[in-house]
Amino acid sequence: MPYVIDGIGNCHVYVDAAADLDMAESIVVNAKTQRPGVCNAAESLVVHRDVAAEFLPGSLPPSMVSPCSATRRPVDPARIGVATDEDFCAEFLGLTLSIAVVDSLDAAIDHITRFGSGHSEAIVTRDIVAAGRFTTEVDAAAVVVNASTRFVDGGELGLGAEIGISTQKLHARGPMGLRELTSIRYVVTGTGQVRT
């Protein structure tokens, strides 16, 4: 029997090698800080190594954790701790952000697959092939290209008042409104019809 899972929101923003970095900074800051205590706020930032040194210094919220020395180099080390697998799995619900620097789109997708909650995932890129692969290969209730994860909300998507975000696949997935909480019953009225 189908049931609804209103899952936790360990949401990621992946900044691709082909990202517009000004757009990426705006998206990351909005996804993390606009309302950090909600399920569609970004909890993890994944950055392609080719743009990490340029992107990371200006884009980070006040408090964060980081996985590796590659991330620490471009930023003031006093602002960054070292992330553990537990940090990458966390829904912080505050201004803390885990950060991973990856070598490829494949590595970004692998990281999100390993640590994501299936809620909402975003990519920032100008590469239509990368965007297509991300939307096809990332298994989440909502996948966003070049926009904040904060848009994954029933009201924002025109579904009316949101009940929650369903992270499972039957019978509803993604933002849920009243329609997703109803069941269907068929009433058939005839005048003596039979099947032949």
Side-chain angles (χ1 to χ4, degrees):
M1 175 172 183
Y3 56 94
V4 172
I5 301 172
D6 184 18
I8 64 167
N10 183 7
C11 305
H12 297 74
V13 176
Y14 168 56
V15 178
D16 186 49
D20 174 320
L21 297 184
D22 290 333
M23 177 194 297
E25 182 172 351
S26 176
I27 289 169
V28 169
V29 169
N30 178 265
K32 181 71 230 178
T33 67
Q34 195 261 340
R35 264 189 81 200
V38 295
C39 62
N40 60 5
E43 302 293 5
S44 290
L45 171 62
V46 181
V47 182
H48 194 286
R49 185 170 307 282
D50 289 352
V51 296
E54 182 180 355
F55 179 70
L56 287 174
S59 62
L60 301 174
S63 143
M64 63 212 64
V65 292
S66 171
C68 62
S69 60
T71 306
R72 294 174 75 104
R73 251 181 259 121
V75 206
D76 174 7
R79 294 177 63 200
I80 296 190
V82 177
T84 64
D85 283 359
E86 186 176 291
D87 293 318
F88 286 124
C89 293
E91 184 177 17
F92 298 113
L93 302 174
L95 292 179
T96 300
L97 182 70
S98 63
I99 304 163
V101 175
V102 296
D103 292 326
S104 65
L105 174 61
D106 289 325
I109 292 169
D110 289 346
H111 180 88
I112 291 167
T113 299
R114 179 174 178 200
F115 296 109
S117 61
H119 191 291
S120 303
E121 310 295 359
I123 183 174
V124 184
T125 189
R126 290 177 285 206
D127 182 340
I128 194 164
V129 173
R133 281 200 51 216
F134 191 88
T135 60
T136 302
E137 296 177 31
V138 169
D139 184 16
V143 184
V144 180
V145 178
N146 294 330
S148 173
T149 56
R150 291 286 295 122
F151 281 107
V152 181
D153 175 89
E156 291 294 319
L157 296 174
L159 303 175
E162 181 176 287
I163 311 306
I165 303 277
S166 175
T167 57
Q168 52 85 54
K169 295 180 182 176
L170 293 174
H171 72 287
R173 191 171 200 207
M176 297 178 302
L178 289 177
R179 185 186 71 196
E180 287 75 24
L181 293 183
T182 59
S183 59
I184 298 171
R185 180 174 74 127
Y186 297 92
V187 176
V188 178
T189 303
T191 56
Q193 290 85 352
V194 295
R195 260 187 92 168
T196 58

